[in-house]
């Protein structure tokens, strides 16, 4: 694959976009933690990522929303109804990852929020299983947030089985593995 190959250029552009977003996050929030991951995707799954990337997708984002009473907002998805997670979802072209996180909170729970910090970023290199020279780079961003209006939940997404506020002395269980440490810190605060 040459440097003139469209797939190589797309992979390079994604890498540049992710690096620029990380720089923007550092400008806004200071030193943000960055975890690096590499995963291998089978050809069909990789190509679905290429299609999304051509349209401007660069990853996903979510938010750990804590209200003035110290309660945190969690959701359960229809596809995994026994595990609690954070509101979040896929990045859309034209928005930064913080905007993605806050949009997803509003869409999934009806809660308007503002970001106050970043507690986790994952810069993921996706490698084509049959052609390792083909790569994509995506970014996952998880922000700390607080509600800017009311705290009444209004589930607005068919994929959400439940959205609920939890007190730190009675946290949800189980939670998705990427959030276990953050939930433990919240419960100890």
């Amino acid at each position: 694959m040459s440097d003139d190959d469209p797939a190589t250029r797309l992979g390079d552009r994604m890498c540049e976009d992710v690096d620029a977003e990380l720089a923007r996050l550092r400008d806004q929030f200071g030193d943000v933690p960055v975890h690096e991951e590499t995963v291998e995707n089978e050809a069909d799954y990789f190509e679905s990522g290429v299609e999304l990337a051509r349209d401007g997708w660069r990853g996903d984002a979510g938010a750990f929303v804590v209200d003035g009473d110290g309660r945190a907002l969690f959701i359960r998805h229809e596809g995994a109804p026994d595990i609690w997670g954070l509101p979040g979802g896929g990045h859309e072209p034209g928005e930064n990852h913080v905007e993605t996180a806050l949009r997803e909170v509003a869409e999934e729970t009806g809660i308007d929020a503002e970001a106050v910090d970043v507690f986790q970023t994952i810069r993921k290199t996706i490698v084509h299983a049959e052609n390792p020279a083909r790569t994509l780079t995506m970014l996952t961003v998880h922000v700390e947030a607080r509600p800017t209006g009311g705290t009444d939940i209004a589930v607005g997404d068919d994929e959400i089985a439940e959205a609920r506020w939890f007190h730190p002395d009675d946290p949800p269980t189980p939670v998705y593995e990427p959030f276990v440490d953050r939930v433990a810190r919240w419960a100890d605060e």
Side-chain angles (χ1 to χ4, degrees):
M1 212 174 269
S2 74
D3 287 342
D4 294 334
D5 179 70
T8 300
R9 287 194 309 271
L10 176 63
D12 291 345
R13 190 167 60 247
M14 288 185 79
C15 188
E16 291 167 4
D17 291 349
V18 164
D19 289 344
E21 178 67 350
L22 285 168
R24 192 194 66 71
L25 290 168
R26 286 184 192 104
D27 286 347
Q28 184 175 359
F29 298 103
D31 190 30
V32 298
V34 180
H35 175 75
E36 301 273 345
E37 264 182 35
T38 300
V39 297
E40 185 177 88
N41 281 178
E42 294 301 321
D44 289 344
Y45 194 55
F46 186 91
E47 292 307 324
S48 67
V50 167
E51 290 305 311
L52 289 170
R54 283 188 182 127
D55 291 336
W57 169 84
R58 296 297 182 261
D60 52 28
F64 189 78
V65 182
V66 178
D67 73 3
D69 294 327
R71 299 178 306 166
L73 183 62
F74 292 89
I75 62 167
R76 293 183 304 115
H77 280 273
E78 289 289 341
D82 297 328
I83 301 175
W84 291 94
L86 303 180
H91 170 260
E92 291 185 2
E95 63 186 10
N96 63 50
H97 282 69
V98 171
E99 292 166 338
T100 297
L102 301 178
R103 174 184 50 77
E104 288 287 340
V105 170
E107 287 177 2
E108 293 179 347
T109 69
I111 304 293
D112 291 324
E114 66 181 346
V116 296
D117 204 357
V118 173
F119 75 88
Q120 180 182 65
T121 64
I122 303 166
R123 186 180 193 278
K124 188 179 292 185
T125 302
I126 305 164
V127 179
H128 190 287
E130 296 169 16
N131 184 353
R134 292 187 69 195
T135 63
L136 302 173
T137 303
M138 66 164 279
L139 183 65
T140 297
V141 175
H142 291 117
V143 300
E144 306 275 356
R146 64 179 167 233
T148 57
T151 57
D152 291 338
I153 295 171
V155 173
D157 187 322
D158 292 342
E159 294 177 8
I160 304 302
E162 183 180 7
R164 199 165 116 199
W165 292 102
F166 284 85
H167 288 277
D169 58 350
D170 189 21
T173 62
V175 295
Y176 278 104
E177 191 279 325
F179 310 126
V180 169
D181 289 345
R182 181 60 192 100
V183 170
R185 285 195 319 272
W186 162 69
D188 289 340
E189 292 173 351

